[in-house]
Amino acid sequence: MTITIKTDFTNEEEIKKSRFICHLKRISNEEEARDFIAQVKKENRTANHNCMAYTVGLRQEIQRTSDDGEPSGTAGVPMLEILKKKEITNVCAVVTRYFGGIKLGAGGLIRAYAGAVNHAVEAVGLVQFVEQTELILKLEYGLFDQLQRFIDTQKLTISETEFLADVTVSVFVDEAKIETFLSELTEAFSGKITAQKGQEQTVEIDYIEN
């Protein structure tokens, strides 16, 4: 399962007169991350710091951080830890800091940078990518209404219907749920509906943290 942010997002908060602006962007490779970081730095060239963390890959195989002048380990790594803890990948986080004159100390900086990313992620929300396979169902006309009700109870949607000598219905089912769906379909219709696999697709759905 791949989890990432719903969309690009910016969130700002103030901590002891310092402004912390968290910029989040969905990325697919390191080049996009570097371009985004450069863009944020250009737009915030007068900021004291533009710290960053990003992860790329199905299992966060690529991880990079930068403290951008803050004391070592007080910015980039805490930001990355939020992404790792939430298992978020293919996202770049840049936290811009405009210093307000009050020093936060190492512990305060860690909490501020981690909090900036955490609050931004919570505000924008997460999505997950699910692999689905098309199931092509063939049935007699007399079973069509019953099949529609069955598919509704499965919380699925018919993607295509064709009426010829028989009825052909296409529905996309999560890979992990195909076996159960086919078993329940066979039981509900006493094997009167045939099914074969068609194309595959990846869909984006809301992710709810446990």
Side-chain angles (χ1 to χ4, degrees), residues 60 80-88 118 209:
Q60 301 179 316
L80 178 64
E81 286 304 312
I82 295 297
L83 301 181
K84 288 168 64 177
K85 180 181 178 181
K86 294 179 178 291
E87 300 181 331
I88 303 170
N118 190 49
E209 293 186 75

Side-chain angles (χ1 to χ4, degrees), residues 52-64:
M52 70 81 180
Y54 65 82
T55 63
V56 178
L58 291 177
R59 296 174 180 80
Q60 301 179 316
E61 290 90 348
I62 299 172
Q63 302 176 3
R64 301 281 185 268

